[in-house]
Amino acid sequence: MKPFLSLSFGQRYQTLPPACYQRVSPTPLSEPYPVVINEALCAQLGLEPASLLQPAAVAVLAGCRLTEGMQPLAALYSGHQFGVYVPQLGDGRALLLGDTQAEDGTVWEWQLKGAGPTPFSRSGDGRAVLRSSIREYLCSEAMHGLGIPTTRALAIMGSDEAIYRETVETAAVVTRLAESFIRFGSFEVFYHRGQHDLLRELADYVIRQHYPLCAESAQPYQALFTEICRRTALLMADWQAVGFCHGVMNTDNMSILGLTLDYGPFGFLDGFDAGHICNHSDHRGRYAYQQQAQIALWNLHCLASAFLPLVAEDVLLAALQEYRHHFEQAYLQRMRAKLGLQQAEAEDGELISALLLLLHAQHTDFTLFFRRLADFPLVAGGVEAVRDLVIDRDLFDQWALHYRQRLQLENSVDGERRIRMQQVNPKYILRNHLAETAIRQAVEHSDYSEINRLQRCLQQPFAEQPEFEAYAGLPPDWASSLSVSCSS
Ligand code: AMP
Ligand code: MG
């Protein structure tokens, strides 16, 4: 285990043409203090967690000073926001510090989010509020716990510095890490500016650093685009299967590596609602839960346009077609697993659709339903725990009849199926009210212990953790009045 300050940062992003970024110094957070340190991620990186609490380390993670090799920069990108092309976005409040290599050989890029304005900040202040920083921290770690590709969060540094949103809040800086933060919009910007040489250099860089297998293909750019489509499809299947809504699926928030990226007004479904809109500002429901797979495809079309100088149009269209196939296959596979099914039968799609219609009509809690369904017995009876979640018991019984027949068809064994189902149906998800409770304690009482507790629970979302039973229940009544907007 190394101390944080002994890390030496590399600058592989700067092997890209200078047009891809702007060097910027962070704006120090005034009188920073640690809010939370991610011990699990420290372990993965081979870092001593306590070393991040040293004043000099806190200063670095609050944008007050740099360490060996750090050369902060803001990356350029553009993107389609709510369907409209915005020619220039870029890191408005995130700075890439550089990269480090962990003992297992993985390379991590480090960003400070909320470390002050950049040339891409437009009218923004370059800051992030503590509230949204806690949400990003908790959710990226919750997603990681669920086994869903995501950027990670290593630490939050807080400050009493005032930040003006709808109300006055305080500032924080999140240290977030990923293999790369490159977005669909990173490609779009050079296509729309007609800078095709830069586009090609970016594609070459992405292949070299992140998709080395594509370099071995006879058509590397085609292989790259196809692989991005595939990873995006798998990510969408992951999101749908745990009831995660991203909230702002603009192309500048779509990772080129298929990671969950840029946590803003996200939300997990409580009661199942296919049309759930988690972003208060998304009036038309463009990014509603049931739209996500389709929107990802729309976003991939934007990326495909940007790839036109590199790959023939018909080839790009074929890859987009494959996206549908990958998504449907992956989604079906995850839903079968959620139901504990091991074989594939032609009618499984119908069984799943019927269940989702039922859950939607009854507004049944998505997470609890699947978790309790693990105890559904092959022979009659013993279904009260899950049945009680559905208001109209007759509707449940009708569906359960088909489900039971389907289980019998493959001679499913109760005990084995329960274990399988508990491994894919989380007991604990980051419900809005759980995040809100941690945020209120932090913001109102400077008590950060709930962030740690919740994170510990969400690291093992599939395990029974009796000490965290309270986190596994239905949301309290006050949760329905929570709303989340883009303001962060
Ligand atoms: P988002 O929709 O949160 O992904 O943000 C879209 C763009 O706005 C990105 O380029 C962000 O960097 C930028 N942005 C968001 N909030 C701020 C802020 N407070 N200050 C500067 N830029 C921001
Ligand atoms: Mg963003």
Side-chain angles (χ1 to χ4, degrees), residues 77 81 90-93 121-122 124-127 165 253 262:
Y77 52 84
Q81 299 196 312
D91 291 329
R93 55 169 169 172
S121 296
R122 297 181 292 172
D125 57 7
R127 290 300 192 198
R165 296 291 183 260
N253 291 337
D262 278 10

Side-chain angles (χ1 to χ4, degrees), residues 77 81 113 176 183 252-253 261-262:
Y77 52 84
Q81 299 196 312
K113 183 170 176 179
R176 56 177 193 176
R183 301 131 196 278
D252 52 298
N253 291 337
L261 169 67
D262 278 10

Side-chain angles (χ1 to χ4, degrees), residues 248-317:
V248 203
M249 288 179 66
N250 294 332
T251 57
D252 52 298
N253 291 337
M254 296 290 293
S255 156
I256 213 79
L257 299 182
L259 308 175
T260 312
L261 169 67
D262 278 10
Y263 291 90
F266 66 82
F268 283 87
L269 296 180
D270 291 313
F272 186 75
D273 172 6
H276 180 67
I277 304 164
C278 62
N279 179 355
H280 191 66
S281 326
D282 181 9
H283 304 292
R284 295 192 170 169
R286 179 180 174 88
Y287 300 136
Y289 169 75
Q290 67 186 353
Q291 301 298 329
Q292 296 190 120
Q294 187 59 35
I295 283 291
L297 179 58
W298 192 91
N299 290 340
L300 283 164
H301 270 94
C302 295
L303 184 65
S305 297
F307 266 69
L308 280 170
L310 306 176
V311 182
E313 188 174 357
D314 57 332
V315 174
L316 291 168
L317 288 172

Side-chain angles (χ1 to χ4, degrees), residues 76-91 120-123 184-193 248 250-253 286-287 298-299 302:
L76 169 72
Y77 52 84
S78 65
H80 283 80
Q81 299 196 312
F82 288 90
V84 179
Y85 185 66
V86 183
Q88 188 178 301
L89 292 162
D91 291 329
F120 308 123
S121 296
R122 297 181 292 172
S123 55
F184 288 12
S186 314
F187 284 81
E188 287 179 277
V189 67
F190 295 128
Y191 171 72
H192 288 275
R193 286 181 179 179
V248 203
N250 294 332
T251 57
D252 52 298
N253 291 337
R286 179 180 174 88
Y287 300 136
W298 192 91
N299 290 340
C302 295

Side-chain angles (χ1 to χ4, degrees), residues 332 336 341-352 406 409-410:
L332 198 57
R336 276 201 184 101
L341 303 175
Q342 289 187 294
Q343 295 167 10
E345 295 291 338
E347 305 78 39
D348 291 347
E350 263 171 61
L351 186 73
I352 294 162
R406 177 63 185 78
L409 186 69
E410 63 176 50

